[in-house]
Amino acid sequence: MPLSPPRRPSPAVAVCALLLAAGCTTVGGSADRAAPARELSAAELRAAAVADGDLGAGYTVTVMTPGHGETGSGGGREVSDLPVCQPLLDAVTPAVAAGGATAPPGPGDPYAETDLSVARAADPQGGVYGGLLGYRAGRAAQLQSELEKLFGPCASFVSSAPPPPAEKSRKPVRTRHRLIRDDTPTPGGADAVTGFTLTSESGSVVLAQRAVVARVGPVLAVLTTVGVGAEPAPVPDERIVRQQVAKLRAAQAHG
């Protein structure tokens, strides 16, 4: 599947991105909580998304309906030469079924999801895309642990994919991927944080995706940026990360 320009991550990207992180640079528990945080309803999760007023002047937040994001060029599934890295590719370039439908959710998928984007007037290239994912019965912590298993095997790997339907005469597309751990501080209120950059190169096209995955009780907040070509993916705005974590923790503490 040829690499495409920056786009809003689809819900499939947000869900599966939790399986593709490059590394947990700082994982620590908050010692000031005596009881586990409660699960948020779908409505509460949406209400807990960071808003313009939480960030201050110059920020614009758009909360989006899951299922309405772009999913790429419509080619076939991208297949890794290393099976352990397949969840990573399914996250970055999710396959779309006939009629545009994505695969139905499984038992380990989130029970609720809210997608959002944050733009900042002072930094037009630093837009942040996010997904808030609510899980049941310790699944968020389990996923956080599974991220560690991808550090070594997925540091560098190659994938192949059939060309888009309109270009069936072309040969399969080969893409080289690099997964790098990023130094990411743990914001106050988070149980754990993961920072990574995934770079994908196919011919002269280079796409970099940088992400912060913060676990707040049973919720995983995935905040990402994109860079194309020689332009690196910027660090997700720390203010957005901190405020989103704080708002999730506050929502879990009430009700």
Side-chain angles (χ1 to χ4, degrees), residues 21-28 144 180-188 190-197 210-215 221 223 234-238 241-242 245:
C24 296
T25 42
T26 308
V27 178
Q144 194 83 37
I180 300 173
R181 178 190 313 236
D182 293 328
D183 184 14
T184 306
T186 303
D191 297 297
V193 68
T194 297
F196 70 92
T197 297
R210 183 159 182 163
V212 170
V213 180
R215 178 164 58 87
L223 301 167
V235 178
D237 190 319
E238 290 185 8
V241 177
R242 290 196 308 269
V245 166

Side-chain angles (χ1 to χ4, degrees), residues 12 20 22 32 61 92-93 99 105 137 144 158 171 174 182 199 231 234 238:
L20 64 82
D32 58 350
V61 179
V92 177
T93 54
Q144 194 83 37
V158 176
K171 294 181 179 180
R174 299 281 289 173
D182 293 328
T199 301
E231 174 190 341
E238 290 185 8

Side-chain angles (χ1 to χ4, degrees), residues 229-255:
E231 174 190 341
V235 178
D237 190 319
E238 290 185 8
R239 181 172 181 81
I240 298 172
V241 177
R242 290 196 308 269
Q243 292 299 321
Q244 183 58 82
V245 166
K247 196 164 184 180
L248 284 169
R249 183 58 74 193
Q252 292 168 358
H254 297 86

